[in-house]
Amino acid sequence: MTKRRIWVAACAAALALIAWPVLKFSGVFSDKGDPMTFGENGGGGGTGAHGTLMPTGPKVDFRVANTVQDGTKIGVVTLDGKKSGFKGKVWVWAPKQYDDPKYAKSGFPVLIALPGGNGYPVNYWMGTDLKLQSSIAQWSKEGKSLPFIVAMPVLNPDDKNYYDGSDIPGRPKMGTWLTEDVPDLIKANFRTLKQRDGWAFMGSSSGAFAGLKAVLKHPDKFKAVIASGPDIVPDSPLWAGHSGEKAANNPEVLAKRLIDGKGPDVYLAFQVGTKERTSMKNTKDFIASYGNRGRVHTTLREIPDGEHNAKTYVPSMGLGPIQWISEHMTGPTPL
């Protein structure tokens, strides 16, 4: 080979090295949309050791939606909810520990993460900018968090109305979607934990309300929630003419019922920014009335100079809330 050809080849190689990360970042060589698997084959269910529920199937067609900093993938699938009758997208992430051979027979806890606002057509926790998944990965290494599977469904069926994460009469059954169809999807495709000790919610603003309400309404299925800057009472205008059903989805009513009854213990971790005056007052009023009474256990983290913003909430979760709920839940058991 002549010196000129050697020089040309060297230049081409150098340009390729420079261009590759640029092209990859720009999406030219992205694997978004490619089929992906979380390592499970088939289904069949059955209970394994330590309360593990093996995947029940059928296996769904996940597609790559994003890649987390540690190389793990966020998958997305369109779920046709059999119980709610609603069809929508669900994004799912599993931590690295899920594919670790020492946890091959163990179930993992699940955190259902709900966004604020309309929560449609995307769930903003599926993006990598808020660093929810990478933060959980790091916290689990530090012993601050369990290695949660994170499920991120759409919160509402459209971008025009908010449905309070509930089955409002005559409307899409979003309460059933969040508390039955989405968990069923995870159980069908992942090793989970049979008992409620492996199931929790987290959310911000309206998503925090939906998660808080879900835990208080279904304490037999879910044990904990991290509610950030939450709405406390149902406020969808779609409840008009349905006051009885609205009350049945009010966290204040549900908390009192749980305190007065003999239901299982629930753990409600609130976090609110000090600049969120209305949310702070409403949260403190709720805790004063229902917190740490009977079966309802609460904690509140006040975020210094924190605003009503998802970017504020994620770092704060690692300063107490996620460790608190993790201490009251069950994690994977190594072989």
Side-chain angles (χ1 to χ4, degrees), residues 43-329:
T47 302
H50 308 291
T52 294
L53 180 65
M54 302 305 288
T56 60
K59 189 176 182 179
V60 300
D61 181 24
F62 282 107
R63 299 283 170 153
V64 175
N66 269 318
T67 301
V68 181
Q69 190 174 4
D70 65 359
T72 53
K73 305 288 183 180
I74 298 172
V76 63
V77 67
T78 298
L79 172 64
D80 189 356
K82 301 304 181 186
K83 295 177 180 176
S84 68
F86 173 69
K87 186 175 183 178
K89 288 186 176 180
V90 182
W91 291 263
V92 184
W93 173 79
K96 274 196 169 182
Q97 291 95 323
Y98 190 81
D99 288 325
D100 188 327
K102 71 180 179 182
Y103 294 113
K105 300 297 182 182
S106 178
F108 277 69
V110 178
L111 189 64
I112 301 174
L114 305 178
N118 290 325
Y120 178 92
V122 298
N123 178 323
Y124 56 56
W125 298 118
M126 57 72 69
T128 56
D129 56 326
L130 296 173
K131 302 185 184 302
L132 175 63
Q133 296 81 13
S134 57
S135 295
I136 291 176
Q138 182 61 36
W139 296 331
S140 67
K141 291 180 182 178
E142 298 170 351
K144 295 180 180 179
S145 171
L146 296 174
F148 289 100
I149 294 169
V150 182
M152 299 156 277
V154 294
L155 179 61
N156 292 305
D158 57 53
D159 59 1
K160 298 178 179 63
N161 295 292
Y162 176 55
Y163 292 68
D164 278 333
S166 303
D167 292 357
I168 299 176
R171 306 288 179 173
K173 296 182 178 180
M174 302 313 293
T176 299
W177 162 258
L178 296 175
T179 62
E180 296 193 43
D181 287 332
V182 173
D184 284 350
L185 169 71
I186 304 303
K187 292 174 184 176
N189 291 273
F190 295 86
R191 302 185 309 276
T192 56
L193 293 161
K194 188 175 182 180
Q195 303 301 321
R196 72 187 191 99
D197 301 71
W199 293 85
F201 278 88
M202 66 147 283
S204 55
S205 189
S206 54
F209 167 86
L212 172 65
K213 189 262 297 187
V215 172
L216 289 169
K217 190 169 186 177
H218 304 284
D220 56 323
K221 296 180 180 179
F222 308 101
K223 192 171 188 179
V225 63
I226 299 175
S228 304
D231 297 335
I232 296 296
V233 296
D235 58 4
S236 172
L238 301 177
W239 286 114
H242 304 289
S243 58
E245 292 88 347
K246 181 178 180 180
N249 286 276
N250 187 331
E252 295 177 334
V253 173
L254 295 168
K256 185 177 186 304
R257 183 181 302 164
L258 190 56
I259 291 167
D260 293 342
K262 296 181 180 181
D265 294 76
V266 295
Y267 296 84
L268 317 177
F270 296 96
Q271 54 172 12
V272 185
T274 56
K275 292 184 178 180
E276 300 182 78
R277 294 182 180 179
T278 301
S279 184
M280 183 69 79
K281 179 184 184 304
N282 292 341
T283 299
K284 285 186 172 181
D285 287 348
F286 179 89
I287 292 173
S289 297
Y290 311 105
N292 298 314
R293 294 177 56 195
R295 303 293 186 177
V296 179
H297 307 275
T298 59
T299 183
L300 170 63
R301 170 168 165 72
E302 298 184 32
I303 308 170
D305 295 319
E307 300 179 344
H308 195 69
N309 190 309
K311 291 183 179 179
T312 297
Y313 300 139
V314 173
S316 178
M317 282 172 55
L319 298 175
I322 202 161
Q323 185 167 0
W324 189 71
I325 69 163
S326 292
E327 289 171 351
H328 297 288
M329 296 180 67

